[in-house]
Amino acid sequence: QVQLVESGGGLVQAGDSLRLSCTVSGRAYSIYGLGWFRQAPGKEREFVAAITWNAGRTYYADSVKGRFILSKNNAESTVYLQTNSLKPEDTAVYYCAATFTTVLVNEGAYAYWGQGIQVTVSP
């Protein structure tokens, strides 16, 4: 079992930044990748970014590339998603998820999910 807990969401204005955190517990040693997804009202959940647990390779959706930055602290089993230059269209519930496979952009590859955290960006 893997448990994921997100934190750091909130209400900000366009152009502001937020740092989202995802703390992993349980079988963290067996994780291949940690991904972030988001779901806006009335829309399907979409891939945002992912990082490989050991090597720290990062992958980003085009919509956030250059604005969002992933990092990790293995000692704390925590992955951080630094979200910069936020836009109203970034408003969504953000989820972190863990996968044991090498498929990082497909939500179907993720076996464990956090509860989600709200990010709201006002114009």
Side-chain angles (χ1 to χ4, degrees):
Q1 288 286 336
V2 174
Q3 294 79 40
L4 305 166
V5 178
E6 302 104 332
S7 62
L11 170 64
V12 296
Q13 293 184 327
D16 285 350
S17 300
L18 278 175
R19 190 176 77 160
L20 308 184
S21 302
C22 178
T23 300
V24 183
S25 60
R27 288 172 49 200
Y29 60 88
S30 59
I31 292 172
Y32 178 81
L34 210 300
W36 285 92
F37 293 78
R38 66 186 181 186
Q39 187 166 23
K43 296 187 177 181
E44 294 186 351
R45 189 155 55 186
E46 64 175 1
F47 170 78
V48 175
I51 187 167
T52 59
W53 191 247
N54 290 324
R57 286 190 293 270
T58 55
Y59 305 84
Y60 299 95
D62 289 342
S63 59
V64 305
K65 201 172 293 183
R67 298 189 298 124
F68 290 12
I69 302 170
L70 270 173
S71 62
K72 64 184 180 71
N73 183 325
N74 280 25
E76 296 180 355
S77 294
T78 299
V79 169
Y80 301 99
L81 181 66
Q82 178 68 39
T83 64
N84 301 317
S85 303
L86 284 163
K87 306 175 182 179
E89 51 264 44
D90 294 318
T91 295
V93 176
Y94 284 70
Y95 299 88
C96 70
T99 181
F100 303 112
T101 79
T102 59
V103 179
L104 295 176
V105 301
N106 186 341
E107 68 172 280
Y110 287 80
Y112 295 95
W113 292 80
Q115 79 283 1
I117 191 165
Q118 179 70 44
V119 171
T120 303
V121 185
S122 62

